[in-house]
Amino acid sequence: MTLPGGEISKRELHFIWIVDCSGSMRDDGKIQALNYAIKEAIPHMQRESENNIQANLLISALKFSTGAQWIIAPTRVNDFKWTDIEAKGETDLGQAFILLSEILRIPPMTERGLPPVLVLLSDGQPTDNFKDGLEKLLSEPWGRKAIRVSIAIGEDANMDILQRFIGDNERQPLLARNPESLTKYIKWVSTVVQTASARPKSQQKYYDGSISNVDIPKPPEMISGATDVW
Amino acid sequence: MISKTNQVNTTSEFQAGEPVHINGLNIVCNVEKELGLGTQGKVYSLISPDNSLLVLKWYFPSMATNEQYDILKSLIQKESPSNRFLWPLALVKIPKKEGFGYVMSMKDSRFKSFSLWLSRKINPSFKTLLTACFELVQSFHLLHSKGLCYQDLSLNNIYFDPENGEIRIGDTDNIVINGEDKGNVIGTPKFMAPEIIIGKALPNTQTDLYSLAIILFYILFLNHPLEGKIESSIKSLDLPSMSKLYGFEPLFIFDPNNDSNYPDPTFHANALIFWSIYPDFIKRIFVRAFTDGIKDPMHGRVRETEWQIALLALRDSIYYCKHCGSENFLVTDYSVFEKLKIPVELGGINSDIKVSKQSSIVEGVQSNSACWNPKCKTMNTHILNIRIDDRLFIALNHDTKLFLHHIDPDRKYDFSNPVAEVSRHPTEPRVWGLRNLSTYPWIVGKANGDIIKVNSKQSFSLVPGTQIDFGTSKGMVCY
Ligand SMILES: [Zn+2]
């Protein structure tokens, strides 16, 4: 006999990949490494969300090169499939922010959600006016409340801009110097960060006292001594 | 890839196949695979010489503190309070690897996360859930009575067997001596006591009791006890709003004196449905846990021994609906329970703890003895039960067993061997009896006044009015 009631009511959690597909991502197999890393992370992401009693995880993806486009609409984590993307064109990051700001409001966001997770992956310099775009994004309450994480692919990425996207000086962009660390960082964001706002994790005693929207666990500790560069 | 990459430095990580010398156990294992990545470190499964299931937890360098090392050392010296705890077995240090780790037993695959129940991916029975709740309370009672404190109790580190309710408790590496303020963690949001969230306390035995009550409520009501209308009015549940909801202004959804956080039928239907099904005595104890238990952390919290009595009384009251077979809870108007000497503080009948009114959407489901199953609603009357010494009563179902716990006041919580079971007459299938599984004879007084002796392996017919002298207590069959 089945007991009464139903599944515990969950909040919607949007997890959004924002991916740089500019021409420079073609160099050194960066785009292939990125495609590989995200596909590699999917099963871990699905496993993590199975234990999640707080959130219905919805994943979407947005790419920017010359202009910006949604490539994957919000999809349940168990149905999520990554289609390989190709690299060509400019680096219109500002366009990507504007596109994002258009969905980070109610509607289309739900009345009962968790702070969304925005993951920005980039290897270079924006070619458009990213400032106006970022301002527009942060003027949306959900944009401000979002957990914003950025990953620099290789040393050429503009760390300053990736830091401004995060907006919180306590956290730095993650610098992926090689495909291994890119895979690790992507796995970390898609499991640990995925749930930062949804599946509560143990909190450390020596909390720095800073008030943020969500308590984000520390990134994986990695030795940055690897000498190779992309 | 054009540039050939060097091996990523893995001095705090393990690759499959790497040998792990466990000096404390005098064995060498090999890493099988990475099982998970947590906030404190990584967990790997090991291949051991005798095929025992072992896992290795290796701390991130920043978490591998001297304090953590000392905590583990002292836990390994102490014995595990019971086999329910996945206790640290041995410390591991490896030359050229940063930090340290420890080895513990791996839980069997039959143990599942409670999140599978909350997501309704598994279908345990009430009996199983109540057994699991009882085991949790009993295990933490054992831990606390040794002067230890768990510190980070949440649904993330407990597991149960959906077939029988047996539990396992993981993440035992934060267990410390109560009051020593050691360890890295302060708890898990939603499970932390309000006094920790507002910064007035660090984890201790009393805050463990609060987390335990949250877990019990989650398991039995599929809802957080503080998530009602106030929660559903929050559009984006971020950290500041969580601190308010769970820390600065906590309000029980069924607070009898304040309904401003009453469950919202759209989002908290589970709370309303289950609240309408459970008997009042269990609701009263939850009301106490989340009213007095919030106001007065030192003296207002429900003790484990109180939970034990209440949870077992609830499990003993389960009967199967005669029409649809659903598990219902026996509470009748002339309830023997009302006459039982349930202490007032436990929410006994003389208690003045009120239970808030039923919601209108589920009204009528509860009441007396109608089956809760919306497709059934059969009135179940004349449920056979046995009353023991005015101490407790047990609904007698086709599969009911009695244990020393029931019949011997000196052997409370002893469920090791059944002493009686409901049986069926070999030739008259409509006649039910109670079989003596103990080694002592029972003296049974039949309703007509006759006195008979029921030896080991014999049964007597379950006729209302029959009285049984078990030696250590007296029972009466009721209808
Ligand atoms: Zn029924």
Side-chain angles (χ1 to χ4, degrees), chain A residues 1-11 27-30 33 47-54 78 106 110-116 142 145 178-181 184 187-188 191-192 197-207 210-215 217-223 225-230, chain B residues 1-6 8-9 11 13 34-35 37 39-40 60-63 67 98 113 115-121 123-126 129 152 155-156 181-190 192 202 218 222-223 227 231-232 234-240 267-268 270 273-274 277 324-327 372-373:
Chain A
M1 273 312 299
T2 306
L3 297 189
E7 187 184 7
I8 191 162
S9 104
K10 298 180 179 179
R11 283 175 175 259
D27 302 343
D28 301 338
K30 280 186 278 201
R47 206 175 54 187
E48 182 70 26
S49 91
E50 201 167 74
N51 287 324
N52 197 327
I53 56 165
Q54 322 284 353
N78 283 331
I106 305 169
T110 163
E111 288 269 350
R112 195 166 171 275
L114 289 159
W142 283 85
K145 286 190 175 209
N178 53 43
E180 282 84 355
S181 56
K184 281 194 184 187
K187 188 175 161 196
W188 176 75
T191 53
V192 179
S197 78
R199 181 184 173 205
K201 288 275 181 185
S202 304
Q203 287 197 343
Q204 305 303 317
K205 192 190 274 176
Y206 305 107
Y207 183 52
S210 63
I211 303 291
S212 60
N213 281 326
V214 173
D215 197 27
K218 286 198 188 121
E221 292 171 79
M222 297 187 19
I223 310 302
T227 49
D228 51 313
V229 185
W230 299 73
Chain B
M1 201 61 46
I2 293 171
S3 61
K4 201 164 167 259
T5 56
N6 291 346
V8 174
N9 192 326
T11 53
E13 299 195 0
E34 184 185 319
L35 292 178
L37 167 71
T39 46
Q40 292 187 304
F60 294 134
S62 70
M63 296 290 165
E67 194 178 75
E98 242 186 300
S113 163
S115 54
L116 294 179
W117 156 237
L118 298 189
S119 306
R120 304 304 289 260
K121 292 188 178 116
N123 279 313
S125 62
F126 274 126
L129 292 174
D152 185 20
L155 282 173
N156 298 342
D181 289 349
K182 284 199 174 145
N184 287 322
V185 296
I186 56 166
T188 298
K190 295 200 179 199
M192 268 191 268
L202 285 173
Y218 254 132
L222 292 118
N223 200 102
E227 289 178 4
E231 184 264 344
S232 51
I234 301 169
K235 292 194 168 76
S236 169
L237 192 67
D238 55 10
L239 207 55
F267 303 109
H268 313 117
N270 281 335
I273 291 168
F274 284 93
I277 289 173
C324 72
S326 296
E327 292 171 284
W372 54 257
N373 182 349

Side-chain angles (χ1 to χ4, degrees), chain A residues 162-174:
Chain A
L162 294 177
Q163 182 72 60
R164 277 157 79 179
F165 170 71
I166 295 175
D168 168 4
N169 287 326
E170 299 289 319
R171 292 188 294 114
Q172 273 87 46
L174 303 168

